[in-house]
Amino acid sequence: MTKVILVRHGQTFWNLELKYQGHSDIALTDLGISQAKQVAERLATENISAVYASDLSRAYHTAEFIAHKHKLTVIAMPEFREISFGEWEGLNYSKINDQWPEVMNKLFTHPDEIRIPGGETFRELKERSQSAIERLIAQHEDDTIVVVSHGGTIRTLLCAALDIHLNRVWNIKQDNTAVNIVEYYPDRTMVALVNDTHHLNS
């Protein structure tokens, strides 16, 4: 069994401003750094073999705090980037809704049926991120590994693990530095934990 601990990155400046980030490389806030240190402390007693992260700094920087506790180096994988929000990156909800109201409505009601203008579809996100997870599972039989990524990407990976339709992607909550645990056995996948943030209360 391969145990994969999926962690969302800490708070960023665009999280505060409610702007869509996608592939834009936005730094952690001071609170985001504090959240990253707290999740690293929480995972310090896990027997972690490797730490992987999206190559975007908000995920990579969060991963560095976790890796440091285990004397590991973070391995960057662009496959774990957030969905590309294309022309929406840097805009907030109201500005996007003013210009693309129909697409924005479908983003939340039927996300599997749209392409974000200039960006990706959720199917494309699932294809690249799930393919990367499958490669890591093959490399890490009987290991525990950490993957630090983004809200949309983790939701998509959880949809795959739960074998539920991508139109349910927004039914899964993901807070900053949320911990999710998925166990990959040869004949089944088990989701053991979703959106756990109790470390932020310590």
Side-chain angles (χ1 to χ4, degrees):
M1 180 269 286
T2 303
K3 179 177 174 180
V4 180
I5 303 174
L6 297 165
V7 179
R8 190 187 172 206
H9 61 79
Q11 184 197 64
T12 71
F13 290 97
W14 281 14
N15 285 151
L16 278 177
E17 297 170 9
L18 305 179
K19 291 179 177 177
Y20 283 63
Q21 300 179 113
H23 288 190
S24 298
D25 200 8
I26 311 303
L28 298 175
T29 62
D30 288 343
L31 176 59
I33 291 170
S34 175
Q35 292 170 333
K37 291 177 179 176
Q38 288 173 290
V39 75
E41 192 64 39
R42 182 257 175 87
L43 297 177
T45 57
E46 293 277 352
N47 185 22
I48 294 169
S49 299
V51 178
Y52 297 88
S54 155
D55 61 338
L56 296 174
S57 62
R58 57 190 185 271
Y60 193 90
H61 197 187
T62 301
E64 285 182 310
F65 288 102
I66 299 169
H68 180 73
K69 293 282 186 184
H70 301 273
K71 297 181 172 53
L72 296 168
T73 301
V74 180
I75 301 169
M77 295 184 66
E79 297 95 322
F80 291 125
R81 283 186 173 196
E82 179 60 284
I83 190 170
S84 170
F85 281 109
E87 297 177 42
W88 293 1
E89 294 188 16
L91 304 179
N92 60 26
Y93 174 86
S94 61
K95 287 185 178 178
I96 296 169
N97 198 47
D98 286 346
Q99 192 166 346
W100 296 276
E102 291 184 11
V103 184
M104 195 61 171
N105 179 55
K106 274 204 162 185
L107 176 70
F108 293 107
T109 58
H110 298 84
D112 188 38
E113 299 170 17
I114 63 157
R115 174 178 295 282
I116 296 165
E120 287 183 295
T121 67
F122 275 97
R123 288 186 189 186
E124 289 168 339
L125 171 62
K126 179 182 177 182
E127 185 176 329
R128 67 171 160 84
S129 59
Q130 182 64 21
S131 175
I133 281 288
E134 289 171 2
R135 290 202 308 277
L136 294 183
I137 293 167
Q139 293 172 25
H140 290 283
E141 186 177 356
D142 297 326
D143 285 346
T144 295
I145 63 172
V146 171
V147 175
V148 182
S149 186
H150 307 266
T153 309
I154 293 173
R155 288 181 175 97
T156 301
L157 289 169
L158 290 173
C159 280
L162 292 163
D163 195 22
I164 61 176
H165 198 282
L166 279 175
N167 278 338
R168 300 289 176 262
V169 74
W170 299 115
N171 290 23
I172 301 170
K173 188 174 182 180
Q174 283 299 294
D175 293 312
N176 288 118
T177 66
V179 172
N180 309 267
I181 298 177
V182 185
E183 298 170 353
Y184 294 90
Y185 297 86
D187 59 346
R188 70 172 56 202
T189 300
M190 295 185 69
V191 176
L193 188 67
V194 174
N195 196 43
D196 183 20
T197 59
H198 80 264
H199 50 277
L200 299 181
N201 299 323
S202 60

